[in-house]
Amino acid sequence: MNSAEPSRTALMAAAARAAHPVVDRAPLIFTDDVAHRLLGDLADELVGYHRAHGDHPVLAGARAQAVVRSRYAEDRLAESGARQYVVLGAGLDTFACRRASADPRVFEVDHPATQAWKRRRLAEAGIPTSATHVPADLERDPLLDRLTAAGFDPAQPAFVSWLGVTTYLTRQAVDRTVAALAGLAPGSELVLDHVLPPHLRDEGGNGYARAVAQAAADGGEPWLTCLDPADLASLLAGHGFTATRHATLDEAVDPALWRRSDALRPDRLLALAHSRLTR
């Protein structure tokens, strides 16, 4: 990654969220009215791909994944009543820019390069944010130490979203991160997404993977980890996260949202897990 640029995958996810209300028909699954402004000069190019080729399976798949996982995480956050929200691997997430309330307190954790670019863009575009920014590399840095140093209260439960990240980490880094999150207060909740292994995907999911995984690797962000839901549930349970609920894209939102006349389809590639820390 160029130290002056954000993660390419973070840009693509923001463009997919920005493009959803422009390209896709009602009912909208998720509305991010900040992403386009945050992308700045890149928006015309990146959102333009979706405008010009919105029916392409890869672009439609990227939009479906981006909006469903954001909707799922923010719906679970609202249900949790948590006063602290950790956006792990935040990328160009805009939750802290889209709300009037300062509750819950938001901690955005991300690679320093992506975070620095985002903060510059927020300032240049005049976009307010309530987030506390916590630069960290999940492959190397002690997560809870970084959070606590930024003002996070480890004695109080938190809600953690970890979206669009696990695929790009080594399995060892995934394990270490879950172990670190086990140090949160009991009652904390975690929502994460993960790519399914090939034998659990459908034809659309495997087609998307064939089209995208090599391009991601060529861009310096290879797919490193795919997780079987049973294996993930075992990993989480081993660190005190129990009652894990799994959802594929078609299960993660109201079924009425999939009665569509556009190109969005819930391919079986990405899955979401929601778990609660009970010890």
Side-chain angles (χ1 to χ4, degrees):
M1 182 187 302
N2 186 316
S3 61
E5 297 176 354
S7 157
R8 186 70 177 172
T9 56
L11 290 171
M12 296 299 101
R17 297 194 309 272
H20 178 48
V22 175
V23 175
D24 300 313
R25 301 183 182 96
L28 294 181
I29 295 172
F30 182 77
T31 301
D32 185 339
D33 56 5
V34 176
H36 197 283
R37 291 172 60 201
L38 183 57
L39 288 168
D41 292 342
L42 296 172
D44 287 344
E45 175 189 358
L46 298 179
V47 178
Y49 292 143
H50 290 268
R51 286 181 182 272
H53 309 288
D55 290 346
H56 191 284
V58 168
L59 293 176
R63 294 197 304 280
Q65 293 168 29
V67 298
V68 169
R69 71 190 183 194
S70 292
R71 171 71 179 267
Y72 185 81
E74 292 189 17
D75 282 355
R76 302 294 81 75
L77 170 64
E79 294 166 357
S80 74
R83 304 293 299 276
Q84 300 184 109
Y85 179 31
V86 178
V87 189
L88 196 54
L92 303 186
D93 185 88
T94 62
F95 174 81
C97 307
R98 289 184 277 106
R99 69 210 181 105
S101 172
D103 191 29
R105 186 173 180 188
V106 181
F107 296 86
E108 291 190 1
V109 181
D110 209 349
H111 189 284
T114 292
Q115 197 164 84
W117 186 92
K118 179 180 182 179
R119 295 182 74 174
R120 286 196 300 273
R121 277 300 309 142
L122 290 170
E124 290 165 359
I127 300 171
T129 179
S130 60
T132 297
H133 295 96
V134 185
D137 184 337
L138 295 181
E139 293 277 3
R140 300 181 181 87
D141 296 329
L143 175 60
L144 288 189
D145 288 351
R146 292 294 178 94
L147 281 167
T148 302
F152 178 82
D153 183 355
Q156 297 299 318
F159 187 96
V160 181
S161 69
W162 192 16
L163 304 178
V165 179
T166 60
T167 307
Y168 303 97
L169 296 178
T170 63
R171 176 56 192 262
Q172 292 77 14
V174 172
D175 292 356
R176 282 197 303 270
T177 302
V178 173
L181 293 174
L184 297 172
S188 295
E189 297 180 47
L190 168 65
V191 164
L192 64 90
D193 68 340
H194 59 99
V195 168
L196 294 167
H199 69 281
L200 294 179
R201 303 171 192 162
D202 62 8
E203 182 179 349
N206 273 318
Y208 184 96
R210 287 191 297 271
V212 172
Q214 186 59 53
D218 292 344
E221 296 180 85
W223 289 16
L224 298 176
T225 300
C226 299
L227 293 167
D228 183 299
D231 181 32
L232 175 59
S234 177
L235 169 64
L236 291 169
H239 291 287
F241 286 93
T242 60
T244 299
R245 291 176 286 174
H246 298 280
T248 50
L249 293 190
D250 58 317
E251 300 164 335
V253 295
D254 187 332
L257 294 172
W258 293 118
R259 297 174 194 145
R260 314 195 60 86
S261 58
D262 54 30
L264 288 196
R265 299 292 181 270
D267 289 339
R268 195 169 289 256
L269 170 71
L270 198 71
L272 292 136
H274 176 208
S275 196
R276 183 180 179 89
L277 185 62
T278 54
R279 72 166 192 229

